[in-house]
Amino acid sequence: MTITGFKGMYGNGEIAKIDAYGNNAAILCNKCGHPVLAIAREHQRGSSIDKPATCLGCGEDFFIEVRESSKKVVIYNASER
């Protein structure tokens, strides 16, 4: 799935700074600000709560939901789900 140029938001509605290119989304950890890479492909890191992307700064786990119709990537903290 190509998500180039999609906007980002956290699960709580807060706007997220992301760089979405191809099927990758570089996001900022909303706990410590460290970059995290999530991949919008089934079974890849950050694609689901079962395959989270882990922040190497603080250890927080994230996964993304792609909303193609609105061209948004929603970022969830796995520990809050």
Side-chain angles (χ1 to χ4, degrees):
M1 172 180 313
T2 300
I3 58 173
T4 301
F6 281 30
K7 302 294 181 193
M9 63 186 262
Y10 293 105
N12 64 7
E14 180 183 332
I15 299 298
K17 292 180 181 178
I18 71 168
D19 183 8
Y21 184 79
N23 59 3
N24 302 303
I27 62 177
L28 290 179
C29 175
N30 61 351
K31 301 280 185 187
C32 73
H34 196 279
V36 180
L37 179 66
I39 303 169
R41 289 184 64 195
E42 191 175 3
H43 305 297
Q44 297 298 311
R45 77 166 112 170
S47 64
S48 70
I49 196 166
D50 297 325
K51 298 281 187 186
T54 302
C55 174
L56 298 179
C58 69
E60 187 70 27
D61 286 332
F62 296 92
F63 67 97
I64 60 174
E65 173 190 346
V66 177
R67 297 185 181 168
E68 290 185 85
S69 61
S70 61
K71 295 192 180 247
K72 291 195 175 165
V73 175
V74 183
I75 304 152
Y76 296 102
N77 290 52
S79 63
E80 295 174 4
R81 298 300 277 170

